[in-house]
Amino acid sequence: MPRNVEIKALVKNFDALRAKAAKLARAEGTLIKQADTFFVVPNGRLKLRELEGSEAQLIYYERPDAVGPKLSNYSISPVNNPQSLKHTLGQALGIVGEVKKERWLYLVGNTRIHCDRVQFIGDFMELEVVLDQQQQLEEGDIIAKDLMEKLGVEEKDLVHGAYMDIILSKIKN
């Protein structure tokens, strides 16, 4: 199963973050519009990701809901009929909710920098340090922390959980 080290942080100045990410990536980034539907599952998380202009994906992942760098194990399957699959999985498992976002993607080495505008909850930054089979979690932590510093992300801005968790928490309060 593929692995990566992830961090997620709240962003105060979205345009400044995007400028720093573009400088690190030496590219303007790619805009991706996404809608993720989360399903009720006993372990991990299961989501159907619909991408504007691209094939949808069914993504299963396991990741602790901790603040700071954390290991994520995931599996991705392409989906050619997302509406039918969403309906079927919704009937079989139940739907937790939906997350809609505009994501600017920047690539720096083996790391994906995501600058996300998430509907209902605001602006966030996510790092995904993709690990190869030989790399250890500690190496991913070092890369993530180095990029956090270069992007001006502070420890106090880190958040835990998925966007879906933040949305559900906001709805409850």
Side-chain angles (χ1 to χ4, degrees):
M1 187 178 276
R3 308 171 302 137
N4 64 27
V5 172
E6 293 187 23
I7 65 154
K8 187 178 315 234
L10 190 59
V11 173
K12 294 178 188 99
N13 187 332
F14 194 73
D15 293 334
L17 176 70
R18 285 195 55 220
K20 289 176 186 177
K23 185 176 179 182
L24 288 170
R26 296 187 180 109
E28 286 306 308
T30 303
L31 173 62
I32 305 166
K33 294 183 180 183
Q34 301 178 342
D36 293 342
T37 302
F38 284 79
F39 300 95
V40 178
V41 291
N43 301 305
R45 297 177 197 273
L46 181 67
K47 66 184 173 185
L48 176 63
R49 172 165 287 165
E50 295 175 80
L51 303 153
E52 189 175 283
S54 285
E55 187 173 52
Q57 303 168 324
L58 185 64
I59 303 169
Y60 172 76
Y61 65 99
E62 296 173 342
R63 177 185 71 214
D65 288 335
V67 172
K70 53 203 153 278
L71 183 65
S72 177
N73 296 299
Y74 61 94
S75 181
I76 301 174
S77 296
V79 173
N80 62 10
N81 190 340
Q83 292 307 310
S84 177
L85 183 62
K86 183 191 299 188
H87 177 75
T88 302
L89 288 176
Q91 286 184 313
L93 303 172
I95 293 176
V96 174
E98 186 175 66
V99 176
K100 292 183 179 182
K101 64 183 169 269
E102 289 185 338
R103 167 171 281 175
W104 283 265
L105 169 64
Y106 303 88
L107 300 174
V108 177
N110 62 335
T111 303
R112 298 167 57 92
I113 300 173
H114 301 150
C115 299
D116 294 338
R117 286 224 138 117
V118 185
Q119 190 176 51
F120 303 121
I121 58 173
D123 297 336
F124 293 84
M125 183 275 321
E126 208 175 67
L127 295 177
E128 293 180 352
V129 182
V130 179
L131 301 174
D132 63 33
Q133 293 296 335
Q134 290 73 37
Q135 286 180 301
Q136 298 300 313
L137 174 62
E138 294 76 21
E139 188 175 345
D141 283 347
I142 291 168
I143 294 168
K145 288 177 181 173
D146 179 59
L147 283 171
M148 279 176 54
E149 184 177 321
K150 289 176 179 172
L151 291 166
V153 175
E154 299 178 23
E155 293 278 334
K156 66 180 176 142
D157 298 325
L158 296 178
V159 297
H160 69 281
Y163 294 138
M164 187 76 257
D165 298 328
I166 298 168
I167 290 171
L168 293 173
S169 175
K170 192 170 187 169
I171 290 170
K172 287 181 183 177
N173 296 330

